[in-house]
Amino acid sequence: MMPKTSILFCAAMLVASAAHAQDRGDTSSPEYVEARQRLQEGKTLYGQGNIDGARLKFEQACAVLKTPACQRALGLSQFYTKRYLEALGNLQRSLDDATLDTVQRKQVTDLMQQAYDKTGHLEVHAPAGGHVRIDDTIDAGNAPLTEVIHVTVGSHNVSVTIEQKTERKTIECSEGKVLKVDFTDRFPQMGNDGHNGNPQPIDEERKKMFPPPTGAIVTGVVGLVGIGLGIGFGVASGDANSTNLARGLGAGGVCSSNPSSQLCLDAKSTRDAQQTDALISTIGYVAGGVALVTALVWWLAAPRKVIIHKATVTPTLGPHTAGAAFNFSF
């Protein structure tokens, strides 16, 4: 790493070249004569190690001169007094100096990178035409912004104003990081030009008794199936019971003396089937009845909802037309 004394020496050489380059633009006006004097004084102070004093002189000079050479001298003094945000801007503008050689240009760009790493950066997205400000003091211009906004490290308040509406966000910036700040969600009704777009169609919700809601229909069908099963198995249970009664009348009490006879075994099998059918029939009736009642309550309490899309009327103006446009949404 280059020692600090070597770095300051290189910076002093850059300052000297800046002053020399400025002298080439000689002018006889008193303001420019004084500005050149302040620039020379700043160079002397810089060479003596009084960087902050030199910075003040360079600021006075650049207020009049406004050239890349003067901005380079000012940017260098700002960098070495840890005013990284100001240094970044002035060093950036100083690269427009055509007299910079390759070595000098690299020295400037290296310092710019170091200043960039010491500052925060905001990438602001907002509807076109939105006026962007930082901390209510920095005017960043109107969206869309093509470049990031350089800020000091720490907390900043970002605001976007469109017509009479202002939205704000507080952002915590850290060194060398680019933070995206998106305001498009704060202006949902704004079109691409930053003004109110066409109004959305107004939807009206109505309740409709017929046909019933799909869920109620499905539940009702399940209920009918359950009752149908109850009826079917009830009939089967009744038939099995009648068969057993007839078999018992013809058995003449044989099952009491010989329960293992084929007649008694058949009677037992029929009785078991009859009881199973009766149980299934009962379950079918109960479940089907509950499902039908549920479907009926569902239908009455929550009828089908129907969305009706209404037309909107949008005034239209043009060089050859004036009137209204009717928009429908489906």
Side-chain angles (χ1 to χ4, degrees), residues 60-253:
Q60 296 170 3
C62 292
V64 176
L65 301 177
K66 301 183 186 300
T67 63
C70 187
Q71 288 168 333
R72 182 167 75 254
L74 176 57
L76 288 168
S77 63
Q78 288 170 333
F79 179 87
Y80 287 111
T81 53
K82 298 184 179 181
R83 290 171 170 80
Y84 299 113
L85 181 61
E86 296 89 342
L88 182 59
N90 282 310
L91 291 174
Q92 174 78 50
R93 289 184 286 272
S94 75
L95 291 176
D96 295 336
D97 189 353
T99 64
L100 282 179
D101 58 31
T102 303
V103 174
Q104 292 172 332
R105 190 171 296 274
K106 184 179 185 306
Q107 290 172 342
V108 171
T109 55
D110 287 346
L111 291 178
M112 282 179 56
Q113 183 61 55
Q114 295 179 50
Y116 185 95
D117 293 338
K118 293 288 186 179
T119 51
H121 315 279
L122 299 175
E123 183 178 311
V124 181
H125 296 272
H131 190 68
V132 182
R133 291 175 63 85
I134 310 297
D135 299 325
D136 292 325
T137 58
I138 302 175
D139 191 339
N142 293 337
L145 302 180
T146 57
E147 297 181 354
V148 298
I149 305 170
H150 307 301
V151 295
T152 56
V153 173
S155 180
H156 293 279
N157 185 280
V158 184
S159 66
V160 173
T161 301
I162 297 179
E163 296 177 351
Q164 303 301 316
K165 181 180 179 181
T166 298
E167 291 289 342
R168 301 177 184 274
K169 290 187 178 183
T170 300
I171 305 298
E172 192 70 27
C173 298
S174 55
E175 290 186 350
K177 303 295 183 181
V178 178
L179 298 181
K180 292 185 179 181
V181 189
D182 195 347
F183 281 88
T184 55
D185 60 326
R186 300 290 184 91
F187 299 92
Q189 301 301 322
M190 296 299 167
N192 292 332
D193 60 352
H195 299 284
N196 290 329
N198 291 336
Q200 297 295 320
I202 301 175
D203 294 338
E204 181 178 335
E205 182 178 278
R206 294 182 181 178
K207 295 182 178 180
K208 189 176 182 180
M209 297 301 296
F210 294 97
T214 303
I217 294 174
V218 173
T219 304
V221 170
V222 171
L224 291 175
V225 171
I227 291 177
L229 289 174
I231 293 174
F233 279 95
V235 171
S237 176
D239 291 343
N241 188 52
S242 298
T243 300
N244 250 6
L245 289 175
R247 184 180 288 121
L249 291 175

Side-chain angles (χ1 to χ4, degrees), residues 223-273:
L224 291 175
V225 171
I227 291 177
L229 289 174
I231 293 174
F233 279 95
V235 171
S237 176
D239 291 343
N241 188 52
S242 298
T243 300
N244 250 6
L245 289 175
R247 184 180 288 121
L249 291 175
V254 68
C255 291
S256 299
S257 58
N258 186 14
S260 60
S261 65
Q262 186 62 44
L263 179 64
C264 294
L265 293 176
D266 291 342
K268 183 179 182 304
S269 176
T270 301
R271 184 173 65 253
D272 291 343

Side-chain angles (χ1 to χ4, degrees), residues 266-290:
D266 291 342
K268 183 179 182 304
S269 176
T270 301
R271 184 173 65 253
D272 291 343
Q274 181 266 328
Q275 291 175 346
T276 300
D277 290 343
L279 178 61
I280 295 175
S281 175
T282 302
I283 294 173
Y285 277 124
V286 173
V290 170

